[in-house]
Amino acid sequence: MMIESSPSSLGAKVVLAASSDENHPPENIIDGNTKTFWMSTGMFPQEFVIRFAEPTTIAAVTVDSYNVKHLKIEKNMSQNASQFEPVTEKEFEYTEGHLQSNAISLNGSSATHLRFIITSGYDHFVSVHRVSVKN
Amino acid sequence: MVKLRARCLLVGDAAVGKSALSHIFYSDGTLFQKNYSMTTGVELLMKCVNIPETNDSVELYIIDSAGKETLVEACEKMWGKPSLLCLVFDLTSEQSFANCSRWMERVRARCQGLQVPGVLVGNKSDLSARREVQASVAKEWAQSQGLEYHETSAKEMENCDAPLLTLARAFHSLYQERRETIQNLNPG
Ligand SMILES: Nc1nc2c(ncn2[C@@H]2O[C@H](COP(=O)(O)OP(=O)(O)OP(=O)(O)O)[C@@H](O)[C@H]2O)c(=O)[nH]1
Ligand SMILES: [Mg+2]
């Protein structure tokens, strides 16, 4: 059986996000709660990076979001949030009035950082409510 | 405190005063270029606007795009997805006003159904003796397109900040609306 967990319970942190609204900080992405969210503040691309406490094998991630159209995921095995390699990308369907929830297979990739790049949206602003990880 | 970012497209016929307006806005009203220097591609200017009565601000990335017909197609490729629209015509040129519908079509094709707040600007209001477009006519057309109408004179530095400040505020309101919507969403 696979265990799905919020990255913060694994000691993970969001170390970078392109946008900022004090009331909706990027930490909200990994707190396991879909009521709290990070919101982009205009223009694309938008990105955030999750750092794991140690190299972690990831079978899949589930992204709960709103108005995201296209998402790319990259990873690295380094201590720094740089030199990423592409893992996968996905086009999300538009949902009206409720969150998008997309499970994305990462094929057991090993990573210390995951970089999420939102290249386009269905609106000027997008939100990410939760990223959970299946080991 | 929120810092928003918006890509503001500045379009309209050649020589209507787009670059003049954007330079005045950018330089806080210190720079008017009397001699015409045609924009041949797109020029990018960034200016941060504070939203009154809040701690919020909007960074406007102003894309001043060439108006000359033969250059438009190449420029369109660099427009990206606009967040805001500033459409300018010359109050002393009926033709530049008539061409605004054509500009709207081009911009709409880029927006892919996205709601893009916009303003229509009649520039060169200082040349009142040569005016060819009446304010009431321009205003009516603007309304039909969902644009807010402003008249400016880059030469006299009159009202030049108003169109872009209006746009910054509109973007800020849109953000607040969307945030409200997202706060009230149901989980998937
Ligand atoms: N009298 C008067 N002249 C103006 C005004 N604004 C601009 N001009 C003049 O009009 C000419 C064209 O202005 P620009 O700002 O270069 O026009 P533009 O729309 O950027 O033109 P393109 O770059 O070719 O698309 C210049 O000679 C300006 O000095 C104005 O408000 N009043
Ligand atoms: Mg110009």
Side-chain angles (χ1 to χ4, degrees), chain A residues 18 20-22 24 37 39-43 66 97-99 121-125 127 129, chain B residues 1-7 61 81 83 114-115 171 174-175 178-179 182-183 185-186 188:
Chain A
S20 65
D21 178 337
E22 278 179 346
H24 302 283
F37 57 89
M39 187 167 167
S40 75
T41 58
M43 307 215 297
Y66 194 61
H98 63 90
L99 295 184
Y122 290 104
D123 193 14
H124 298 287
F125 311 107
S127 55
H129 298 242
Chain B
M1 195 191 84
V2 186
K3 182 171 240 161
L4 303 177
R5 283 200 202 108
R7 181 184 267 274
Y61 292 79
K81 248 199 196 171
S83 327
L114 218 61
Q115 181 190 341
F171 197 66
L174 196 61
Y175 178 76
R178 294 303 195 267
R179 189 171 57 185
I182 291 172
Q183 253 150 358
L185 285 176
N186 305 312

Side-chain angles (χ1 to χ4, degrees), chain A residues 77-93:
Chain A
M77 282 292 283
S78 129
Q79 285 307 305
N80 308 317
S82 61
Q83 294 188 312
F84 286 89
E85 55 178 277
V87 182
T88 185
E89 48 190 285
K90 183 163 180 174
E91 186 95 8
F92 288 9
E93 298 228 355

